[in-house]
Amino acid sequence: MSLNLPDMTQVLRETTRRGVGSHRWQRPLYVDLLPPCNHACPAGENIQAWLAHAHDGEYEKAWRALVEDNPLPSTHGRACYHPCESGCNRASLDTSVAIHAVERFLGDLAADEAWRVPVAAPSGKSVLVVGAGPGGLACAYHLARMGHRVEIRDAAEEPGGMMTCGIPAYRLPREPLRQEVARITAMPGITLTCGHRVEDVAGEMRTGGFDAVFVAVGAQEANHLDIPAMDGKKLTDAVALLGEAKKGRQPRLGRAVAVIGGGDVAMDAARTARRLGARDAVLVYRRDESHLAASPGEAREAFAEGVKIKWLSTVEQFGAAGILIEKVAMNPDGSLTPTGETERIAADSVVLAIGQHSDLSLLRGAAGVRINPDNVVQVDEVLMTGHPGVFAGGDCIGGPRTMTAAVGHGKLAARAMDAWMRGETYRHPPSHPLVTFDMLHLLDYLDAPRSQQPEVPPAQRGGFGEIVAGLDETQARYEAQRCLSCGNCFECDNCYAACPEQAITRLGPGRGYSVELDLCTGCATCFEQCPCHAIEMVPEPPGQPAPSGRHREALTPSSFKVRR
């Protein structure tokens, strides 16, 4: 007998709010996003990966992950301007992670422990690297790891390039630099020849039987200004001054030194002048404070040491009475207008720090190589010039002239040359989407003060002694633990604990999680509880049949940490 009972099916399930009822409209998906520290690093370091190993106290693993990209961590931990920290999401919570300090700790520990990296079997290919600065050393390092024979030729008497002659010892002590350079040049397959100036790249490529060449000559030629010098007064440049100081010489600067410029080299020149005995060191800079070219940290340290600055000023004349400077006005478009207002200040010497350029005469005979009017080599996306097999990087191709950018160029050039010598073209893998601070869910995080590297007392460091000491093991590990692991799962178990349906299963350390779709309702609780945004909610695939039986979807990340 039919009772004609009403249909109890949820007939309004398509019009009720999403997430209610038996129809799942979204599901969790594990994602790998690009951390801002990795994104900001010119050397392309996988910073989040090596911080994760340091977090666990696995320092050799951390160092090995670091030198996959950068063979000079002790050097960069001291002298890099660490743009990674400017991009760090933790700065929006309290303060950025002291990435450079942990990098220095790992580099110094590697030197103490004599860690080395393996190299591949000989490939039968050989490469000439011109220049033993950061770009050339990095390129040789990566090529040697691939099994290629590399000969580095440099005109200087010792390797290091501008790291040796352009960065003062108080910022970059020579011993840690020498140790890292020695580790690279001692690798099987690498030969270093100093005191050899390459005059003709194409000619040396032919006579040496090299399959490829990487030109990494630094910007060691100083730019000059036409400043009238009277009464027998002479001007010098910052490169020459820093080179003299590096050799232990004592150039005669007098009691008052004027440095023209406002970049990092100008700051180094002024601070060096003070260490060489100058009572006053004054920067003369043509722009205002908001347009200062030097990194904020370098400027802060220089001013703390007593360096002064004349803003919106240009030098008109230099003589026995000092320098005559004229005030200028800065227009909205950045141009400058002389005001006619002049001032004379005491100066026994003037140092020009208005930029450098590279000597590119070695490329003049290489057919197809193009040098732009601003004296930089034109290269393609893989750093090859117009001459087949001749690549270039570092200062001589323009862009940011930092040692970290040069190291990144060396790595890219090595990969591109390796592919080219195999008859292929290198293609950089696509990057993951960038994760920003607003994407994180940091409900349970408390402030954790940043570790500060202690300052070395002046009495202990001497004139050119290192200014700051490094972190100890406890501090370095603590600092690594401040990393938020932005965009990548660190297996905190928040999703596992928060799921109301118990649909998430642990797969074991380093393997992530899986979701049982028979149990998952798409409620997004796991997404909301993930602090680092390693889970995204994606629409249910159209036409997807309802799960039957035991159905799981793995959430294992494609790579534990995402690289640039």
Side-chain angles (χ1 to χ4, degrees):
M1 182 177 69
S2 175
L3 299 178
N4 293 321
L5 295 175
D7 185 0
M8 302 297 292
T9 306
Q10 185 183 359
V11 295
L12 296 179
R13 64 185 179 187
E14 299 300 333
T15 59
T16 57
R17 67 182 178 88
R18 285 181 166 181
V20 175
S22 59
H23 180 70
R24 184 178 61 231
W25 62 280
Q26 62 178 358
R27 63 173 62 179
L29 177 69
Y30 203 102
V31 293
D32 287 329
L33 300 181
L34 179 63
C37 54
N38 292 24
H39 177 68
C41 178
E45 288 184 20
N46 195 356
I47 294 170
Q48 198 182 84
W50 58 258
L51 280 178
H53 291 308
H55 171 287
D56 296 334
E58 298 180 325
Y59 302 122
E60 184 173 356
K61 282 186 178 180
W63 178 81
R64 293 192 180 282
L66 200 168
V67 298
E68 281 291 313
D69 301 296
N70 183 355
L72 299 163
S74 183
T75 300
H76 280 73
R78 288 172 164 86
C80 176
Y81 299 122
H82 39 270
C84 53
E85 295 181 22
S86 298
C88 177
N89 278 332
R90 176 122 205 168
S92 297
L93 182 64
D94 42 34
T95 53
S96 61
V97 177
I99 297 168
H100 75 287
V102 184
E103 185 171 25
R104 169 180 169 168
F105 168 79
L106 294 173
D108 290 353
L109 182 61
D112 293 340
E113 299 293 332
W115 292 334
R116 296 291 184 269
V117 295
V119 299
S123 67
K125 302 291 185 180
S126 63
V127 176
L128 171 63
V129 172
V130 184
L137 290 168
C139 183
Y141 166 84
H142 290 289
L143 287 168
R145 293 181 63 213
M146 299 172 188
H148 304 309
R149 183 177 70 84
V150 186
E151 182 165 346
I152 309 172
R153 296 176 181 173
D154 194 283
E157 294 303 316
E158 63 177 315
M162 290 299 285
M163 295 186 298
T164 301
C165 64
I167 302 178
Y170 60 80
R171 283 181 54 207
L172 180 56
R174 298 305 176 234
E175 188 54 32
L177 173 61
R178 290 191 187 102
Q179 290 178 328
E180 293 199 309
V181 171
R183 183 173 59 235
I184 294 171
T185 56
M187 293 173 66
I190 294 181
T191 301
L192 170 66
T193 303
C194 286
H196 180 128
R197 179 178 293 277
V198 175
E199 305 285 355
D200 178 9
V201 162
E204 297 211 19
M205 184 178 182
R206 287 191 303 271
T207 58
F210 295 104
D211 298 287
V213 178
F214 180 57
V215 177
V217 291
Q220 299 190 23
E221 302 292 321
N223 297 338
H224 291 279
L225 281 176
D226 185 16
I227 298 176
M230 307 166 64
D231 306 309
K233 291 291 185 178
K234 292 184 179 180
L235 291 79
T236 187
D237 62 75
V239 175
L241 173 63
L242 295 173
E244 291 288 295
K246 171 246 178 183
K247 295 174 183 176
R249 297 172 183 168
Q250 193 83 11
R252 294 182 179 179
L253 298 174
R255 294 170 61 85
V257 177
V259 179
I260 303 176
D264 292 313
V265 174
M267 298 295 169
D268 285 337
R271 297 171 74 182
T272 296
R274 293 270 295 174
R275 283 166 170 77
L276 292 173
R279 181 190 62 192
D280 297 315
V282 180
L283 295 162
V284 181
Y285 188 53
R286 63 194 185 114
R287 299 190 178 276
D288 59 19
E289 185 173 3
S290 63
H291 293 84
L292 185 64
S295 63
E298 287 299 303
R300 263 194 314 271
E301 291 179 8
F303 298 149
E305 290 183 2
V307 173
K308 301 178 178 65
I309 188 166
K310 288 286 187 180
W311 303 104
L312 294 168
S313 301
T314 60
V315 176
E316 296 298 306
Q317 191 182 90
F318 175 39
I323 58 172
L324 181 68
I325 63 175
E326 181 179 9
K327 288 291 183 181
V328 296
M330 191 168 179
N331 303 314
D333 63 355
S335 62
L336 304 174
T337 302
T339 65
E341 179 186 344
T342 61
E343 177 186 3
R344 192 174 293 277
I345 63 174
D348 298 307
S349 57
V350 171
V351 180
L352 298 178
I354 55 172
Q356 300 88 239
H357 62 275
S358 301
D359 179 0
L360 300 177
S361 58
L362 75 168
L363 289 168
R364 302 296 178 186
V369 175
R370 296 182 59 185
I371 299 175
N372 293 343
D374 51 354
N375 202 57
V376 297
V377 183
Q378 189 171 12
V379 294
D380 63 16
E381 64 275 4
V382 293
L383 304 184
M384 187 155 72
T385 68
H387 189 96
V390 176
F391 296 73
D395 293 351
C396 67
I397 67 170
R401 286 177 166 169
T402 66
M403 65 179 184
T404 316
V407 165
H409 292 168
K411 180 179 71 172
L412 172 58
R415 293 175 177 177
M417 283 190 282
D418 173 68
W420 188 81
M421 291 186 292
R422 290 185 282 105
E424 302 173 3
T425 300
Y426 176 72
R427 295 282 184 265
H428 191 283
S431 296
H432 293 277
L434 184 66
V435 58
T436 55
F437 181 77
D438 60 292
M439 298 168 65
L440 307 180
H441 304 137
L442 303 176
L443 301 179
D444 298 323
Y445 278 71
L446 300 176
D447 287 0
R450 174 182 166 118
S451 301
Q452 298 297 326
Q453 297 181 103
E455 182 176 337
V456 178
Q460 295 181 20
R461 65 180 185 235
F464 281 88
E466 188 168 20
I467 295 174
V468 295
L471 302 180
D472 60 28
E473 189 272 340
T474 300
Q475 293 171 316
R477 186 170 183 183
Y478 161 81
E479 196 59 32
Q481 291 170 343
R482 295 181 67 239
C483 175
L484 300 176
S485 195
C486 306
N488 296 282
C489 178
F490 61 98
E491 298 179 354
C492 68
D493 280 353
N494 275 20
C495 57
Y496 172 79
C499 179
E501 307 299 335
Q502 298 183 346
I504 295 178
T505 302
R506 294 193 195 100
L507 296 179
R511 297 173 58 199
Y513 305 87
S514 69
V515 173
E516 294 192 30
L517 294 180
D518 279 347
L519 300 177
C520 176
T521 64
C523 68
T525 301
C526 56
F527 164 79
E528 294 166 354
Q529 291 297 317
C530 179
C532 57
H533 198 112
I535 298 175
E536 286 186 352
M537 301 304 295
V538 297
E540 190 75 10
Q544 182 81 8
S548 59
R550 304 294 289 177
H551 181 80
R552 291 188 177 190
E553 181 166 305
L555 286 179
T556 309
S558 58
S559 60
F560 180 57
K561 300 291 174 187
V562 180
R563 60 191 305 108
R564 185 169 182 258

